[in-house]
Amino acid sequence: MEEALISCGNPSSLHAGGRAAALLLRKARGQVAALAGVRLDEIFFTAGGTESNAWALRGLAEPARGRGKHLILSAVEHLSVLQTAREMEKEGWSVTLIPVDRTGRVDPSAVEGALTSHTVLVSVQWANPEVGTLQPIAEIARRVKSRGVLFHTDAVAAAGRVSLEIAALPIDAVSLASGPLGGPPGAGALVLRRGVRIQPLFVGGTQEEGRRAGTENLVGLAGFGAAAERAAKELPVFPGKVLPLRERLVRGILKLVSEAVFNGDPTDRLPGHLSISFPGADAEALVLALDREGVSVGLGSACSSKAVKASHVLKAMGVGDPQALGTVTLTWGPETAAEEVDRFLEILPRALDVIGKEPIRK
Amino acid sequence: MEEALISCGNPSSLHAGGRAAALLLRKARGQVAALAGVRLDEIFFTAGGTESNAWALRGLAEPARGRGKHLILSAVEHLSVLQTAREMEKEGWSVTLIPVDRTGRVDPSAVEGALTSHTVLVSVQWANPEVGTLQPIAEIARRVKSRGVLFHTDAVAAAGRVSLEIAALPIDAVSLASGPLGGPPGAGALVLRRGVRIQPLFVGGTQEEGRRAGTENLVGLAGFGAAAERAAKELPVFPGKVLPLRERLVRGILKLVSEAVFNGDPTDRLPGHLSISFPGADAEALVLALDREGVSVGLGSACSSKAVKASHVLKAMGVGDPQALGTVTLTWGPETAAEEVDRFLEILPRALDVIGKEPIRK
């Protein structure tokens, strides 16, 4: 990012600064392509996961509408997917939401059963950012593609946590974002497999092969590339390093709060991720109380603190309000030490005590 | 930007890192608002000028379509405006392009004459980035708004070069971008005056008051804010510092190349900006030859080196191909010294000589 800050060129310019910027951009593209397991020319940079998801839905569906105007999504997609689809409904598209089981898992045969001759696109996330459940993506993709329907997956939460190897799967488009990899927010990509038709959201420039106009956010994309490279390097050791801490956390939390509930699939889930409900507690107050002790945890939907209502994901899983509203998300990485887990377990009862006595912002 | 790099928080998060990020974001919003001369809550951040323009056209037109489906633009708008409108034409909108005179100027009465009872939006740029001509924005806005029609202006090229003071004008929306201010590319804003209805392009998050979902590009926006603050500070002295160099450049160039032509309005134009045609020369080769001597100049449309055809702006002004294809754009700022102008005048004949002998990439 510092190199990009100094260069500060426009990758489309002819002069020397422009060429240096183009090289930095190419490097970032290669780093992201390596993490995704695709070719360099299949990476199209965006301003983040939200844009990638909106672009995938609108951009893939539009050129295929000759077939019909039907979309299929899971009920636990990120809100950028669900609400884009809701906008498209106003424009005449019909949308089928596939329910999930108690663990947040989508049944591939339910997706297949929802396919009609009018279906143009199916979008099911790779992993759920709130509860950590991994979806049977390969199986869903296989069933969708065998019917000649486009398949998109939002892999924003999965990238860097599980191996993607997209080229080996029958997937047309994949959303990625820099922020969840530890890179700067405001940078992302849409992986578009060769030959997939997409309508641009932004026109009027030749950037990204004319598919996404606008001078590139070079600093952010350089950071995205670096984060992708680090994530790809850590990936082989990631589960081995983070899984033992999960056991330590789960056992420790249950010992302190016997009624604590762990949401999502117990095994088929993101490593380094726990969704924990303290039924009856005020999750927002808990986040603040833990923060005062130096521990940052996420609130229900990780993306927005302003949504102080039960997460649509937990609702779709059949979780009631008292449990859903007391839910926080804990994430950790290979650099997290066992001592930090112990310190969290030491802080947690104090924080719960504080919010039990004087609930904040209730 | 360095502060934002260190903070690296999500402005929507509840914890301490999130609050620090929210403060940085608020600072940037204030800096951009000050440059634009509007209230802080009228700034909506985007990923750059292209997104701002696409959003303004689609987002303002859509909620107003009850009135009709007619847009009015000038023929010399940035391609992100013109091509977005072309996409909208495919979706049933009709678009009127207002021609310009030899100086690239739009006649306000021509805009008024094109208004119909079905017109929902008029978009005319504040200044042309290629030829530097300033449009009579106040007069156009007044005529458009008196007919109850929405008015948007792309001020990407004008911001930081001329005073905007948007609050004093009857304008609904204004596009701004970081890059042309010397800030990092990939950051921009749409100014939306209070009460103006717009449909979001990106949904599924509460950022930017729910009008533009997606975790913010904090590093880029911090840079945009800093660039806006510097530009606002320099603005009062900008013309005084850069105008004397224009005379030195024009006289010097005409002395060297008598057939050189200066495009755009000779007086009502961006300070620190010259569009120079060397009829019959290959502008792309000239850019490269000058670059080898350490001088960076722009090619026709500054945004893309891949468009090696005559600029739509020069065409709309009635400039023929031999002149248009030999056109470069020269920009300079208050920090540019007279000696640098003299050095450019010393290099120019050598560069022209080089491309006369061995045209590159012809």
Side-chain angles (χ1 to χ4, degrees):
Chain A
M1 291 176 79
E2 278 164 7
E3 227 178 302
L5 270 172
I6 293 159
S7 136
C8 231
N10 174 348
S12 294
S13 291
L14 284 174
H15 45 68
R19 289 192 302 271
L23 281 178
L24 279 174
L25 193 65
R26 191 190 156 85
K27 182 181 172 189
R29 202 181 303 279
Q31 289 165 323
V32 174
L35 178 67
V38 296
R39 297 163 45 105
L40 196 119
D41 60 3
E42 293 174 316
I43 298 293
F44 294 84
F45 285 130
T46 67
T50 292
E51 180 186 333
S52 295
N53 283 337
W55 186 23
L57 259 64
R58 291 194 171 272
L60 292 172
E62 203 51 48
R65 66 190 284 174
R67 187 185 172 112
K69 292 184 82 175
H70 180 231
L71 306 178
I72 298 174
L73 318 172
S74 89
V76 293
E77 294 303 306
H78 188 263
L79 287 176
S80 58
V81 170
L82 290 173
Q83 292 189 10
T84 298
R86 204 162 302 158
E87 292 296 316
M88 291 171 74
E89 269 185 321
K90 293 182 199 159
E91 299 156 22
W93 290 82
S94 69
V95 179
T96 301
L97 290 190
I98 306 297
V100 295
D101 64 17
R102 283 290 301 196
T103 71
R105 197 178 153 93
V106 175
D107 178 358
S109 62
V111 175
E112 193 175 13
L115 291 166
T116 76
S117 58
H118 299 295
T119 311
V120 300
L121 174 67
V122 174
S123 180
V124 177
Q125 67 197 178
W126 200 300
N128 188 280
E130 293 182 42
V131 300
T133 300
L134 289 165
Q135 301 297 350
I137 281 302
E139 181 57 19
I140 297 172
R142 201 185 53 74
R143 296 195 189 204
V144 169
K145 291 303 294 174
S146 73
R147 294 279 289 275
V149 173
L150 289 165
F151 183 68
H152 164 255
T153 181
D154 170 3
V156 166
R161 301 288 174 267
V162 295
S163 167
L164 298 180
E165 293 304 340
I166 294 163
L169 295 169
I171 298 178
D172 296 295
V174 182
S175 296
L176 300 172
S178 163
L181 293 174
L190 187 63
V191 179
L192 284 170
R193 303 306 311 283
R194 285 189 104 181
V196 174
R197 279 187 66 199
I198 193 158
Q199 182 171 300
L201 284 184
F202 300 130
V203 289
T206 55
Q207 294 89 355
E208 305 296 308
E209 304 301 322
R211 285 177 161 184
R212 201 273 187 183
T215 303
E216 297 87 347
N217 167 15
L218 196 63
V219 174
L221 293 173
F224 181 20
E229 184 176 299
R230 193 188 53 188
K233 209 170 285 171
E234 284 179 356
L235 201 53
V237 299
F238 195 91
K241 286 203 176 170
V242 303
L243 284 180
L245 296 189
R246 177 164 90 193
E247 292 322 300
R248 200 182 187 99
L249 272 164
V250 170
R251 272 202 312 271
I253 290 166
L254 285 175
K255 212 167 127 190
L256 293 166
V257 191
S258 60
E259 68 267 40
V261 182
F262 294 87
N263 305 296
D265 195 288
T267 53
D268 219 1
R269 57 182 296 101
L270 289 175
H273 183 294
L274 276 176
S275 166
I276 317 158
S277 299
F278 300 101
D282 176 344
E284 193 176 341
L286 183 58
V287 168
L288 290 168
L290 286 168
D291 181 54
R292 270 193 299 273
E293 301 269 4
V295 178
S296 296
V297 306
L299 180 70
S301 161
C303 290
S304 171
S305 64
K306 287 169 192 163
V308 203
K309 48 180 186 181
S311 131
H312 70 285
V313 173
L314 294 170
K315 245 184 208 168
M317 288 162 59
V319 174
D321 269 9
Q323 179 178 330
L325 294 171
T327 305
V328 297
T329 302
L330 215 61
T331 54
W332 67 99
E335 70 291 343
T336 308
E339 293 70 40
E340 291 177 84
V341 168
D342 294 342
R343 178 155 156 65
F344 170 73
L345 292 171
E346 194 189 306
I347 288 165
L348 180 62
R350 254 200 330 264
L352 284 167
D353 198 40
V354 164
I355 68 160
K357 276 182 200 149
E358 38 181 38
I360 294 143
R361 286 222 240 164
K362 194 64 178 242
Chain B
M1 290 176 78
E2 278 163 8
E3 228 178 300
L5 270 172
I6 294 158
S7 137
C8 233
N10 174 349
S12 294
S13 293
L14 284 174
H15 45 66
R19 290 192 300 271
L23 280 178
L24 278 174
L25 193 64
R26 192 189 155 86
K27 181 180 172 190
R29 202 181 302 278
Q31 289 165 321
V32 174
L35 179 67
V38 296
R39 296 163 48 105
L40 198 119
D41 59 4
E42 293 174 316
I43 298 292
F44 295 83
F45 285 131
T46 68
T50 292
E51 180 185 333
S52 295
N53 282 337
W55 186 23
L57 259 64
R58 291 194 171 273
L60 292 172
E62 203 52 48
R65 65 191 285 175
R67 188 184 171 111
K69 292 185 81 174
H70 180 230
L71 307 177
I72 299 175
L73 317 171
S74 89
V76 294
E77 294 304 305
H78 188 264
L79 287 176
S80 58
V81 170
L82 290 173
Q83 291 188 11
T84 298
R86 205 163 299 157
E87 293 297 316
M88 291 171 74
E89 270 185 319
K90 293 181 199 159
E91 299 155 24
W93 290 83
S94 69
V95 179
T96 302
L97 290 189
I98 306 297
V100 294
D101 64 17
R102 283 291 300 196
T103 70
R105 197 177 152 92
V106 175
D107 178 357
S109 62
V111 175
E112 193 175 12
L115 291 165
T116 76
S117 58
H118 300 294
T119 311
V120 300
L121 174 67
V122 173
S123 179
V124 177
Q125 69 198 180
W126 200 300
N128 187 278
E130 294 182 43
V131 300
T133 300
L134 289 165
Q135 301 297 350
I137 282 302
E139 181 58 20
I140 297 171
R142 200 185 55 74
R143 297 195 189 204
V144 169
K145 292 301 295 175
S146 73
R147 293 279 289 276
V149 172
L150 289 165
F151 183 68
H152 164 255
T153 181
D154 169 4
V156 166
R161 300 290 174 266
V162 296
S163 167
L164 298 180
E165 293 305 338
I166 293 164
L169 296 169
I171 298 178
D172 296 295
V174 182
S175 296
L176 300 172
S178 163
L181 292 174
L190 188 63
V191 179
L192 284 170
R193 302 307 310 282
R194 285 190 104 181
V196 174
R197 280 187 65 196
I198 194 157
Q199 181 169 300
L201 284 185
F202 301 130
V203 289
T206 55
Q207 295 88 355
E208 304 297 310
E209 304 301 321
R211 286 176 159 184
R212 202 274 187 182
T215 303
E216 297 87 346
N217 167 15
L218 197 63
V219 175
L221 294 173
F224 181 20
E229 183 175 301
R230 191 188 55 186
K233 208 170 284 171
E234 285 178 356
L235 201 53
V237 300
F238 195 92
K241 284 203 178 171
V242 303
L243 284 179
L245 296 189
R246 177 165 91 192
E247 293 322 301
R248 199 181 186 103
L249 271 164
V250 170
R251 272 203 311 272
I253 290 167
L254 286 175
K255 212 168 129 190
L256 292 166
V257 191
S258 60
E259 69 266 39
V261 182
F262 294 88
N263 304 296
D265 195 287
T267 54
D268 219 1
R269 58 183 295 103
L270 290 175
H273 183 294
L274 277 176
S275 167
I276 316 159
S277 299
F278 300 102
D282 175 344
E284 193 177 340
L286 182 57
V287 169
L288 291 168
L290 286 168
D291 181 54
R292 271 194 297 274
E293 301 269 3
V295 178
S296 295
V297 306
L299 180 70
S301 162
C303 291
S304 171
S305 64
K306 288 170 192 163
V308 202
K309 50 182 186 178
S311 131
H312 70 286
V313 174
L314 294 170
K315 246 185 206 165
M317 289 162 59
V319 174
D321 269 7
Q323 179 179 329
L325 294 170
T327 304
V328 296
T329 301
L330 215 62
T331 54
W332 67 98
E335 71 291 344
T336 308
E339 293 70 42
E340 293 178 81
V341 168
D342 294 343
R343 180 156 154 63
F344 169 74
L345 293 170
E346 193 189 307
I347 287 165
L348 179 62
R350 256 200 327 266
L352 285 167
D353 198 39
V354 164
I355 67 160
K357 276 180 197 148
E358 39 182 38
I360 296 142
R361 285 221 242 164
K362 194 64 179 238

